[in-house]
Amino acid sequence: VQLQASGGGLVQPGGSLTLSCAVSGSIFRINHMAWYRQAPGNQRELVARWRIGGLTYYEDSAEGRFTISRDNAKNTVNLQMNSLRPEDTGVFYCNVGGFNTYNDYLHQNLNDYWGQGTQVTVSS
């Protein structure tokens, strides 16, 4: 399983960006898909997450500005980011957790996968 993130770039405060993460390879069942951000000197932190059943979570600063969505046809997870702020700057990583086989699912053997990261810079 491989994840390929794209869509980062330089944007002015108040602008918008859409990140996309393409998932390739075979996963029997996806449990969750998420986006994390790592700002310079900081730990990687969860920004938004979609879980099976359609449940979503957003960190407080992302609530109301960011939207995570899954495109089943393209097997991607997207993060629409609006009203961007300088403090949103960082490297964004996509994360997918899934069960590779039916046996993994039965025994709840969850596998975690990470993309390579895409840089988002919000600056005037």
Side-chain angles (χ1 to χ4, degrees), residues 4-12 16-21 35 78-79 81 84 88-93 116-122:
Q4 181 68 44
S6 61
L10 173 64
V11 63
Q12 292 187 340
S16 298
L17 278 177
T18 299
L19 306 183
S20 184
C21 179
W35 285 95
N78 303 314
L79 185 67
M81 303 186 293
L84 283 162
D88 294 320
T89 294
V91 179
F92 282 71
Y93 296 90
Q116 84 284 8
T118 184
Q119 176 71 44
V120 172
T121 302
V122 184

mmCIF file of all heavy atoms in Angstrom, residues 4-12 16-21 35 78-79 81 84 88-93 116-122:
data_model
loop_
_atom_site.group_PDB
_atom_site.id
_atom_site.type_symbol
_atom_site.label_atom_id
_atom_site.label_comp_id
_atom_site.label_asym_id
_atom_site.label_seq_id
_atom_site.Cartn_x
_atom_site.Cartn_y
_atom_site.Cartn_z
ATOM 1 N N GLN A 4 0.217 8.760 -1.892
ATOM 2 C CA GLN A 4 0.868 9.844 -2.615
ATOM 3 C C GLN A 4 0.088 11.121 -2.356
ATOM 4 O O GLN A 4 -1.033 11.282 -2.837
ATOM 5 C CB GLN A 4 0.908 9.531 -4.113
ATOM 6 C CG GLN A 4 1.604 10.597 -4.952
ATOM 7 C CD GLN A 4 3.090 10.665 -4.689
ATOM 8 O OE1 GLN A 4 3.773 9.657 -4.601
ATOM 9 N NE2 GLN A 4 3.606 11.882 -4.549
ATOM 10 N N ALA A 5 0.720 12.030 -1.593
ATOM 11 C CA ALA A 5 0.072 13.293 -1.254
ATOM 12 C C ALA A 5 0.448 14.371 -2.259
ATOM 13 O O ALA A 5 1.573 14.389 -2.778
ATOM 14 C CB ALA A 5 0.469 13.728 0.149
ATOM 15 N N SER A 6 -0.483 15.273 -2.507
ATOM 16 C CA SER A 6 -0.228 16.376 -3.430
ATOM 17 C C SER A 6 -1.126 17.554 -3.065
ATOM 18 O O SER A 6 -2.047 17.414 -2.254
ATOM 19 C CB SER A 6 -0.499 15.939 -4.873
ATOM 20 O OG SER A 6 -1.846 15.547 -5.035
ATOM 21 N N GLY A 7 -0.839 18.701 -3.691
ATOM 22 C CA GLY A 7 -1.714 19.858 -3.528
ATOM 23 C C GLY A 7 -1.174 20.963 -2.652
ATOM 24 O O GLY A 7 -1.806 22.015 -2.527
ATOM 25 N N GLY A 8 -0.031 20.748 -2.027
ATOM 26 C CA GLY A 8 0.528 21.793 -1.183
ATOM 27 C C GLY A 8 1.055 22.953 -2.006
ATOM 28 O O GLY A 8 1.102 22.892 -3.237
ATOM 29 N N GLY A 9 1.444 24.013 -1.311
ATOM 30 C CA GLY A 9 1.988 25.159 -2.007
ATOM 31 C C GLY A 9 2.013 26.385 -1.129
ATOM 32 O O GLY A 9 1.784 26.308 0.083
ATOM 33 N N LEU A 10 2.290 27.513 -1.757
ATOM 34 C CA LEU A 10 2.325 28.804 -1.073
ATOM 35 C C LEU A 10 1.010 29.523 -1.335
ATOM 36 O O LEU A 10 0.578 29.647 -2.491
ATOM 37 C CB LEU A 10 3.488 29.634 -1.604
ATOM 38 C CG LEU A 10 3.582 31.081 -1.116
ATOM 39 C CD1 LEU A 10 3.819 31.131 0.388
ATOM 40 C CD2 LEU A 10 4.691 31.815 -1.862
ATOM 41 N N VAL A 11 0.386 29.994 -0.271
ATOM 42 C CA VAL A 11 -0.892 30.685 -0.409
ATOM 43 C C VAL A 11 -0.914 31.860 0.559
ATOM 44 O O VAL A 11 -0.290 31.804 1.624
ATOM 45 C CB VAL A 11 -2.065 29.707 -0.154
ATOM 46 C CG1 VAL A 11 -2.034 29.180 1.261
ATOM 47 C CG2 VAL A 11 -3.408 30.357 -0.475
ATOM 48 N N GLN A 12 -1.614 32.906 0.189
ATOM 49 C CA GLN A 12 -1.734 34.066 1.063
ATOM 50 C C GLN A 12 -2.757 33.805 2.167
ATOM 51 O O GLN A 12 -3.668 32.992 1.991
ATOM 52 C CB GLN A 12 -2.159 35.289 0.252
ATOM 53 C CG GLN A 12 -1.102 35.778 -0.724
ATOM 54 C CD GLN A 12 -1.500 37.083 -1.385
ATOM 55 O OE1 GLN A 12 -2.672 37.457 -1.414
ATOM 56 N NE2 GLN A 12 -0.509 37.792 -1.899
ATOM 57 N N SER A 16 -7.181 29.527 -0.067
ATOM 58 C CA SER A 16 -7.623 28.140 0.028
ATOM 59 C C SER A 16 -6.667 27.202 -0.698
ATOM 60 O O SER A 16 -5.994 27.601 -1.650
ATOM 61 C CB SER A 16 -9.018 27.987 -0.592
ATOM 62 O OG SER A 16 -9.980 28.759 0.095
ATOM 63 N N LEU A 17 -6.624 25.985 -0.215
ATOM 64 C CA LEU A 17 -5.880 24.911 -0.867
ATOM 65 C C LEU A 17 -6.655 23.620 -0.670
ATOM 66 O O LEU A 17 -7.352 23.450 0.342
ATOM 67 C CB LEU A 17 -4.489 24.733 -0.254
ATOM 68 C CG LEU A 17 -3.334 25.631 -0.691
ATOM 69 C CD1 LEU A 17 -2.087 25.303 0.118
ATOM 70 C CD2 LEU A 17 -3.059 25.513 -2.183
ATOM 71 N N THR A 18 -6.500 22.714 -1.625
ATOM 72 C CA THR A 18 -7.057 21.383 -1.471
ATOM 73 C C THR A 18 -5.935 20.365 -1.579
ATOM 74 O O THR A 18 -5.233 20.308 -2.596
ATOM 75 C CB THR A 18 -8.115 21.077 -2.542
ATOM 76 O OG1 THR A 18 -9.186 22.007 -2.427
ATOM 77 C CG2 THR A 18 -8.667 19.657 -2.349
ATOM 78 N N LEU A 19 -5.743 19.600 -0.526
ATOM 79 C CA LEU A 19 -4.761 18.518 -0.523
ATOM 80 C C LEU A 19 -5.453 17.224 -0.932
ATOM 81 O O LEU A 19 -6.624 16.998 -0.603
ATOM 82 C CB LEU A 19 -4.139 18.356 0.860
ATOM 83 C CG LEU A 19 -3.515 19.603 1.490
ATOM 84 C CD1 LEU A 19 -2.873 19.236 2.831
ATOM 85 C CD2 LEU A 19 -2.498 20.237 0.556
ATOM 86 N N SER A 20 -4.707 16.402 -1.634
ATOM 87 C CA SER A 20 -5.250 15.126 -2.063
ATOM 88 C C SER A 20 -4.234 14.026 -1.766
ATOM 89 O O SER A 20 -3.023 14.244 -1.884
ATOM 90 C CB SER A 20 -5.560 15.161 -3.555
ATOM 91 O OG SER A 20 -6.175 13.959 -3.965
ATOM 92 N N CYS A 21 -4.725 12.873 -1.383
ATOM 93 C CA CYS A 21 -3.865 11.728 -1.092
ATOM 94 C C CYS A 21 -4.426 10.516 -1.820
ATOM 95 O O CYS A 21 -5.543 10.070 -1.519
ATOM 96 C CB CYS A 21 -3.818 11.479 0.411
ATOM 97 S SG CYS A 21 -2.822 10.069 0.898
ATOM 98 N N TRP A 35 -5.456 13.445 8.004
ATOM 99 C CA TRP A 35 -4.389 14.384 7.662
ATOM 100 C C TRP A 35 -3.764 14.907 8.957
ATOM 101 O O TRP A 35 -4.490 15.284 9.888
ATOM 102 C CB TRP A 35 -4.935 15.554 6.850
ATOM 103 C CG TRP A 35 -5.249 15.199 5.442
ATOM 104 C CD1 TRP A 35 -6.457 14.819 4.935
ATOM 105 C CD2 TRP A 35 -4.321 15.186 4.348
ATOM 106 N NE1 TRP A 35 -6.341 14.567 3.593
ATOM 107 C CE2 TRP A 35 -5.046 14.788 3.198
ATOM 108 C CE3 TRP A 35 -2.961 15.483 4.204
ATOM 109 C CZ2 TRP A 35 -4.459 14.666 1.946
ATOM 110 C CZ3 TRP A 35 -2.379 15.370 2.957
ATOM 111 C CH2 TRP A 35 -3.119 14.969 1.838
ATOM 112 N N ASN A 78 -9.243 13.706 0.588
ATOM 113 C CA ASN A 78 -8.951 15.109 0.304
ATOM 114 C C ASN A 78 -9.145 15.966 1.550
ATOM 115 O O ASN A 78 -9.938 15.627 2.434
ATOM 116 C CB ASN A 78 -9.871 15.613 -0.812
ATOM 117 C CG ASN A 78 -9.741 14.786 -2.073
ATOM 118 O OD1 ASN A 78 -8.639 14.481 -2.515
ATOM 119 N ND2 ASN A 78 -10.879 14.405 -2.637
ATOM 120 N N LEU A 79 -8.416 17.065 1.587
ATOM 121 C CA LEU A 79 -8.577 18.028 2.664
ATOM 122 C C LEU A 79 -8.743 19.406 2.030
ATOM 123 O O LEU A 79 -7.784 19.959 1.484
ATOM 124 C CB LEU A 79 -7.379 18.021 3.612
ATOM 125 C CG LEU A 79 -7.514 18.927 4.835
ATOM 126 C CD1 LEU A 79 -8.610 18.403 5.771
ATOM 127 C CD2 LEU A 79 -6.192 19.039 5.595
ATOM 128 N N MET A 81 -9.060 23.176 2.464
ATOM 129 C CA MET A 81 -8.673 24.130 3.510
ATOM 130 C C MET A 81 -9.016 25.540 3.051
ATOM 131 O O MET A 81 -8.520 25.993 2.017
ATOM 132 C CB MET A 81 -7.174 24.022 3.805
ATOM 133 C CG MET A 81 -6.738 22.619 4.207
ATOM 134 S SD MET A 81 -5.011 22.544 4.725
ATOM 135 C CE MET A 81 -4.186 22.899 3.183
ATOM 136 N N LEU A 84 -7.182 30.156 5.186
ATOM 137 C CA LEU A 84 -5.901 29.717 5.732
ATOM 138 C C LEU A 84 -5.213 30.837 6.499
ATOM 139 O O LEU A 84 -5.318 32.025 6.146
ATOM 140 C CB LEU A 84 -5.006 29.188 4.617
ATOM 141 C CG LEU A 84 -5.391 27.776 4.138
ATOM 142 C CD1 LEU A 84 -4.785 27.482 2.780
ATOM 143 C CD2 LEU A 84 -4.939 26.750 5.162
ATOM 144 N N ASP A 88 -1.248 27.801 10.029
ATOM 145 C CA ASP A 88 -1.537 26.521 9.367
ATOM 146 C C ASP A 88 -0.316 25.992 8.632
ATOM 147 O O ASP A 88 -0.330 24.849 8.150
ATOM 148 C CB ASP A 88 -2.684 26.685 8.361
ATOM 149 C CG ASP A 88 -4.004 27.022 9.015
ATOM 150 O OD1 ASP A 88 -4.304 26.453 10.078
ATOM 151 O OD2 ASP A 88 -4.740 27.873 8.456
ATOM 152 N N THR A 89 0.728 26.791 8.534
ATOM 153 C CA THR A 89 1.939 26.402 7.818
ATOM 154 C C THR A 89 2.553 25.145 8.406
ATOM 155 O O THR A 89 2.651 24.992 9.626
ATOM 156 C CB THR A 89 2.964 27.550 7.851
ATOM 157 O OG1 THR A 89 2.450 28.655 7.100
ATOM 158 C CG2 THR A 89 4.299 27.119 7.255
ATOM 159 N N GLY A 90 2.972 24.242 7.515
ATOM 160 C CA GLY A 90 3.638 23.026 7.948
ATOM 161 C C GLY A 90 3.648 21.996 6.837
ATOM 162 O O GLY A 90 3.149 22.246 5.729
ATOM 163 N N VAL A 91 4.212 20.860 7.153
ATOM 164 C CA VAL A 91 4.173 19.734 6.221
ATOM 165 C C VAL A 91 2.956 18.886 6.589
ATOM 166 O O VAL A 91 2.804 18.483 7.745
ATOM 167 C CB VAL A 91 5.452 18.883 6.297
ATOM 168 C CG1 VAL A 91 5.362 17.710 5.327
ATOM 169 C CG2 VAL A 91 6.674 19.738 5.985
ATOM 170 N N PHE A 92 2.107 18.652 5.615
ATOM 171 C CA PHE A 92 0.897 17.865 5.824
ATOM 172 C C PHE A 92 1.119 16.431 5.346
ATOM 173 O O PHE A 92 1.584 16.212 4.223
ATOM 174 C CB PHE A 92 -0.286 18.502 5.079
ATOM 175 C CG PHE A 92 -0.860 19.695 5.788
ATOM 176 C CD1 PHE A 92 -0.154 20.890 5.860
ATOM 177 C CD2 PHE A 92 -2.106 19.629 6.402
ATOM 178 C CE1 PHE A 92 -0.670 21.994 6.524
ATOM 179 C CE2 PHE A 92 -2.631 20.730 7.062
ATOM 180 C CZ PHE A 92 -1.911 21.902 7.126
ATOM 181 N N TYR A 93 0.775 15.509 6.209
ATOM 182 C CA TYR A 93 0.932 14.081 5.915
ATOM 183 C C TYR A 93 -0.442 13.414 5.900
ATOM 184 O O TYR A 93 -1.259 13.645 6.802
ATOM 185 C CB TYR A 93 1.779 13.398 6.974
ATOM 186 C CG TYR A 93 3.210 13.884 7.040
ATOM 187 C CD1 TYR A 93 3.566 14.955 7.863
ATOM 188 C CD2 TYR A 93 4.208 13.259 6.289
ATOM 189 C CE1 TYR A 93 4.871 15.394 7.927
ATOM 190 C CE2 TYR A 93 5.527 13.692 6.355
ATOM 191 C CZ TYR A 93 5.852 14.757 7.170
ATOM 192 O OH TYR A 93 7.143 15.194 7.226
ATOM 193 N N GLN A 116 4.154 10.819 1.919
ATOM 194 C CA GLN A 116 5.461 11.446 2.027
ATOM 195 C C GLN A 116 5.402 12.879 2.525
ATOM 196 O O GLN A 116 6.433 13.443 2.841
ATOM 197 C CB GLN A 116 6.175 11.419 0.661
ATOM 198 C CG GLN A 116 5.802 12.545 -0.288
ATOM 199 C CD GLN A 116 4.440 12.371 -0.945
ATOM 200 O OE1 GLN A 116 3.670 11.483 -0.613
ATOM 201 N NE2 GLN A 116 4.159 13.241 -1.900
ATOM 202 N N GLY A 117 4.247 13.462 2.616
ATOM 203 C CA GLY A 117 4.132 14.829 3.097
ATOM 204 C C GLY A 117 4.126 15.841 1.968
ATOM 205 O O GLY A 117 4.808 15.662 0.945
ATOM 206 N N THR A 118 3.358 16.898 2.161
ATOM 207 C CA THR A 118 3.316 17.987 1.197
ATOM 208 C C THR A 118 3.350 19.308 1.972
ATOM 209 O O THR A 118 2.647 19.468 2.973
ATOM 210 C CB THR A 118 2.073 17.884 0.279
ATOM 211 O OG1 THR A 118 2.113 18.909 -0.709
ATOM 212 C CG2 THR A 118 0.770 17.972 1.055
ATOM 213 N N GLN A 119 4.191 20.231 1.522
ATOM 214 C CA GLN A 119 4.416 21.476 2.241
ATOM 215 C C GLN A 119 3.309 22.475 1.959
ATOM 216 O O GLN A 119 2.967 22.725 0.803
ATOM 217 C CB GLN A 119 5.754 22.091 1.832
ATOM 218 C CG GLN A 119 6.045 23.450 2.444
ATOM 219 C CD GLN A 119 6.336 23.379 3.929
ATOM 220 O OE1 GLN A 119 7.082 22.513 4.392
ATOM 221 N NE2 GLN A 119 5.761 24.294 4.705
ATOM 222 N N VAL A 120 2.763 23.046 3.027
ATOM 223 C CA VAL A 120 1.804 24.136 2.925
ATOM 224 C C VAL A 120 2.406 25.347 3.637
ATOM 225 O O VAL A 120 2.773 25.264 4.804
ATOM 226 C CB VAL A 120 0.456 23.756 3.562
ATOM 227 C CG1 VAL A 120 -0.466 24.969 3.626
ATOM 228 C CG2 VAL A 120 -0.202 22.624 2.778
ATOM 229 N N THR A 121 2.519 26.441 2.916
ATOM 230 C CA THR A 121 3.052 27.674 3.489
ATOM 231 C C THR A 121 2.022 28.776 3.298
ATOM 232 O O THR A 121 1.606 29.055 2.166
ATOM 233 C CB THR A 121 4.373 28.071 2.827
ATOM 234 O OG1 THR A 121 5.318 27.009 2.967
ATOM 235 C CG2 THR A 121 4.944 29.333 3.466
ATOM 236 N N VAL A 122 1.611 29.372 4.415
ATOM 237 C CA VAL A 122 0.641 30.462 4.364
ATOM 238 C C VAL A 122 1.375 31.733 4.756
ATOM 239 O O VAL A 122 1.778 31.921 5.901
ATOM 240 C CB VAL A 122 -0.541 30.211 5.306
ATOM 241 C CG1 VAL A 122 -1.586 31.323 5.146
ATOM 242 C CG2 VAL A 122 -1.155 28.845 5.039
#
